[in-house]
Amino acid sequence: MFHKFSSSNLFPLPQKFNTPFSSKVPEVVKVAAREILKYIETIPRLHDAFLPGKMLGVLVVRKGEEIGYIAAYSGNIPDDIKQNSYFVPPVYDLRAASSFFPEEEQKIVKITDDIEYILNSDDYKHAQTDYINLSQKASSVIAEFKQQMELDKKRRDEIREIGDISADVAAKLIKDSQFAKAEYKRLRKHWQQQIENAEACLCCLNHKIDVLRKKRAENSASLQKRLFEQFLFYNALGETRSLIEIFADKQPPAGAGECAAPRLLQYAYLNNLQPIGIGEFWYGNPLGGEVRLHGNFYEACVAKCHPILEFMLQGLDMARDEKQNSADSLKVIYEDDYIIAVDKPHGLLSVPGRNAKQSVVDILKKQKPYCDFYTVHRLDEDTSGVLLLAKSPDMQTRLQKMFACGNVKKKYVAKLSGIPKNKEGIIQLPIRSDYLHRPRQIVDFEKGKPATTQYKISKIFNDNTCEVEFLPYTGRTHQLRVHSAHPDGLSTPIFGDKLYGYSETQSERMMLHAIELSFLHPITQYPLTIISDNPF
């Protein structure tokens, strides 16, 4: 499973191990990844298995005096190609002959089959049909009787209004009224009994289903806990921890420990291979609403891998994260007694972050210590341009309502890494958070929030790139970035966007700039347009 490089041009080896929490990887890792891609293309069955979309990983290692690499895939592949010796094995093989998993899984499958048998049985279908039909018939019969009661009552009232009726007629009218009310009660009681009998039959079957579902949930939880205890991870210090210990304060997510990066490090530690550089890259088509590009490098997933890798990386000489952009002061584009707008540089947070990074708010407080500043909206860390802030809580509330109601028009300019098919148009793709890969966003037509962007290409360059103007009608997180990169959007990532675009780029920044904000001033009610110079 240790592979020697076929290429002699390996570039200088990195002095320190790169972080898997970034899509930026050493050149030697890129060389190894290209060799893995070529290998997969020579195995049609493997290519077909990965083509729907699969995250792969590569770890460049030192074995004695030799430099080589090992490869891994995330998750599972079909059993007939699973034993391919090119890839390192799972940390714990669920399907191994010695594993308890297949037998316990079959027990859960059997419960699921029992549930499906009841749901598809004639008894269950008849019980459902009887309950529905009886409920509908009861409503119809009772409604008709009640309507007739109202007609009879109207007729009796008309007789009484004529006046001068005999005592016998008056008594009969009262008797008819009482009989109708009693008959109505008897009718309701009769149908209620019929419905309750049908409901009891259906409830009996539903109870059996509920018992089976509860048993299945209990068995699944027990099996999952038992599995988590089998996943034992090593780090460079020789220490070991199980998934249960690593996720001590919460339940490990499903699939934890089955990604490529943990598999690679585990194999290296157990086989005396010295890690040099690591990277995870995508193979095949994007899955669902994700934005993934074939052969592109991506950071390790947050929910499943971060806690595991934070333990496994202990003991390695790690390279530091890239420095964040910093500034002593900000260019103020507009200011009055109520609001202030600054020209935010790329690489700077709009508001203070968890890791105490410098932000626009921090710099403004130092730049103008006599003022208070309140966030109205945000720009991504990698996005530059007009950022509006309020000078009081009341003004913050007013402006936030204006943004929420669409009363603030926003205009962005971006450079795209290609030229979209259509020169202008409107993109409507609903977006939600990708919970396993935060802060990434994903297109989801069922659970996503509506997101609409108008675009128009303004310039086309000789290097097959273009400049585009964006007018977002909504303000979803990463909206413009996702709408640009997604296959159902422009299918052309923003130049320099390493999250949704290409990890290999000559740009030091993402080419997205908030160039203009237009709105009615909350106090003066005069139209106000705040413009930042185009930096591209």
Side-chain angles (χ1 to χ4, degrees):
M1 295 180 185
F2 172 82
H3 310 291
K4 295 181 181 179
F5 282 93
S6 60
S7 171
S8 58
N9 183 17
L10 300 185
F11 300 95
L13 297 179
Q15 295 182 350
K16 294 186 177 182
F17 192 76
N18 64 294
T19 174
F21 306 140
S22 170
S23 60
K24 186 176 181 179
V25 300
E27 290 298 324
V28 68
V29 172
K30 297 176 185 177
V31 174
R34 286 195 288 269
E35 294 194 3
I36 294 172
L37 291 171
K38 288 181 181 179
Y39 169 78
I40 296 172
E41 294 296 333
T42 65
I43 313 294
R45 185 73 181 91
L46 196 59
H47 164 75
D48 292 343
F50 289 165
L51 186 60
K54 178 69 70 175
M55 189 68 78
L56 306 180
V58 58
L59 180 67
V60 177
V61 294
R62 187 188 304 275
K63 182 180 181 182
E65 298 299 320
E66 292 183 304
I67 301 296
Y69 61 90
I70 55 178
Y73 55 81
S74 296
N76 293 305
I77 57 176
D79 291 338
D80 60 329
I81 55 175
K82 195 171 185 179
Q83 301 305 320
N84 187 306
S85 60
Y86 189 86
F87 297 98
V88 302
V91 174
Y92 176 74
D93 191 351
L94 305 180
R95 304 291 177 182
S98 59
S99 173
F100 57 85
F101 179 78
E103 181 180 350
E104 295 300 321
E105 184 186 40
Q106 282 306 308
K107 293 179 181 178
I108 296 174
V109 170
K110 175 63 169 58
I111 297 175
T112 300
D113 291 342
D114 291 344
I115 294 172
E116 291 299 318
Y117 177 80
I118 296 175
L119 289 172
N120 295 318
S121 67
D122 290 340
D123 288 346
Y124 190 77
K125 291 177 181 177
H126 290 157
Q128 281 186 313
T129 302
D130 289 347
Y131 177 72
I132 293 171
N133 289 344
L134 282 169
S135 298
Q136 291 175 344
K137 188 174 181 180
S139 297
S140 176
V141 171
I142 292 171
E144 288 179 8
F145 188 87
K146 190 173 182 181
Q147 185 178 16
Q148 186 60 48
M149 283 179 64
E150 291 173 352
L151 291 173
D152 292 343
K153 181 179 182 302
K154 184 178 180 181
R155 180 181 57 81
R156 291 193 297 271
D157 290 342
E158 289 174 349
I159 293 173
R160 291 189 180 98
E161 288 176 359
I162 294 174
D164 195 24
I165 58 175
S166 67
D168 290 342
V169 172
K172 186 177 184 305
L173 291 177
I174 294 173
K175 185 177 180 180
D176 289 346
S177 176
Q178 291 173 340
F179 177 80
K181 291 178 181 178
E183 189 66 15
Y184 180 69
K185 289 181 180 179
R186 285 192 292 270
L187 188 66
R188 285 177 57 88
K189 185 176 181 180
H190 166 76
W191 284 107
Q192 184 63 34
Q193 186 63 50
Q194 294 288 327
I195 293 172
E196 287 177 357
N197 291 340
E199 187 178 24
C201 181
L202 182 60
C203 285
C204 180
L205 293 171
N206 281 330
H207 176 68
K208 292 180 180 180
I209 294 171
D210 291 340
V211 170
L212 288 171
R213 283 174 173 165
K214 183 178 180 181
K215 183 179 180 182
R216 181 176 62 182
E218 291 173 349
N219 287 7
S220 296
S222 176
L223 176 58
Q224 194 170 53
K225 183 176 183 298
R226 191 175 173 190
L227 282 174
F228 289 154
E229 291 170 345
Q230 308 306 311
F231 279 81
L232 293 175
F233 296 93
Y234 286 76
N235 63 20
L237 301 174
E239 301 169 336
T240 61
R241 285 185 191 172
S242 69
L243 271 179
I244 298 295
E245 293 172 317
I246 290 174
F247 290 88
D249 59 339
K250 59 183 178 180
Q251 175 83 352
E258 297 184 32
C259 293
R263 289 180 177 179
L264 292 166
L265 290 170
Q266 184 87 337
Y267 186 85
Y269 294 147
L270 294 176
N271 291 275
N272 297 316
L273 303 175
Q274 180 185 345
I276 294 175
I278 195 170
E280 288 187 309
F281 56 97
W282 190 254
Y283 192 98
N285 302 317
L287 287 174
E290 287 187 304
V291 178
R292 300 287 191 185
L293 304 175
H294 177 74
N296 204 55
F297 285 93
Y298 293 93
E299 68 287 346
C301 67
V302 175
K304 293 189 290 186
C305 287
H306 269 224
I308 298 171
L309 293 176
E310 284 174 353
F311 167 73
M312 298 188 79
L313 293 171
Q314 292 178 22
L316 291 179
D317 188 11
M318 299 285 297
R320 293 184 178 181
D321 292 341
E322 298 178 5
K323 290 185 177 180
Q324 181 208 21
N325 196 355
S326 61
D328 295 327
S329 62
L330 295 169
K331 179 182 177 182
V332 176
I333 309 174
Y334 176 86
E335 183 178 13
D336 59 30
D337 292 340
Y338 310 99
I339 61 177
I340 184 172
V342 299
D343 202 348
K344 185 185 92 66
H346 71 89
L348 186 64
L349 293 173
S350 297
V351 296
R354 291 182 180 179
N355 299 323
K357 286 185 177 181
Q358 189 183 43
S359 71
V360 167
V361 173
D362 295 324
I363 297 172
L364 275 178
K365 285 181 177 179
K366 294 179 181 178
Q367 190 172 337
K368 296 176 176 289
Y370 50 86
C371 288
D372 292 323
F373 302 100
Y374 300 87
T375 305
V376 174
H377 68 124
R378 299 186 184 188
L379 296 178
D380 293 343
E381 182 177 355
D382 296 326
T383 302
S384 58
V386 181
L387 184 69
L388 184 66
L389 299 99
K391 290 187 175 183
S392 70
D394 176 66
M395 185 55 59
Q396 179 189 39
T397 301
R398 290 193 190 190
L399 288 170
Q400 286 178 335
K401 287 182 179 179
M402 291 174 65
F403 272 91
C405 294
N407 294 327
V408 178
K409 296 188 180 301
K410 296 167 286 185
K411 182 178 179 180
Y412 289 75
V413 63
K415 182 178 180 182
L416 302 185
S417 56
I419 302 175
K421 181 179 178 180
N422 297 320
K423 299 300 184 287
E424 60 182 288
I426 293 177
I427 305 165
Q428 293 180 310
L429 294 174
I431 297 172
R432 69 165 174 84
S433 175
D434 187 350
Y435 307 115
L436 294 178
H437 304 92
R438 295 180 188 275
R440 294 178 63 87
Q441 304 294 304
I442 189 172
V443 171
D444 189 332
F445 288 95
E446 292 184 2
K447 300 179 181 178
K449 295 181 179 179
T452 303
T453 304
Q454 182 180 343
Y455 72 93
K456 181 179 181 180
I457 294 177
S458 53
K459 295 179 184 178
I460 295 179
F461 304 109
N462 294 331
D463 60 353
N464 197 40
T465 61
C466 70
E467 184 177 283
V468 62
E469 292 181 354
F470 287 121
L471 298 176
Y473 297 161
T474 51
R476 310 302 177 201
T477 301
H478 296 181
Q479 176 175 320
L480 301 181
R481 300 167 70 175
V482 173
H483 281 184
S484 295
H486 196 274
D488 294 332
L490 297 181
S491 193
T492 313
I494 294 173
F495 198 84
D497 186 353
K498 296 180 181 179
L499 197 59
Y500 300 101
Y502 301 99
S503 54
E504 295 187 54
T505 175
Q506 300 299 318
S507 176
E508 291 298 322
R509 61 157 299 179
M510 179 176 66
M511 299 294 194
L512 178 62
H513 185 75
I515 198 168
E516 186 177 303
L517 283 181
S518 298
F519 56 96
L520 292 179
H521 194 289
I523 302 300
T524 66
Q525 291 300 302
Y526 289 143
L528 179 61
T529 298
I530 304 173
I531 300 175
S532 170
D533 294 333
N534 187 342
F536 308 143

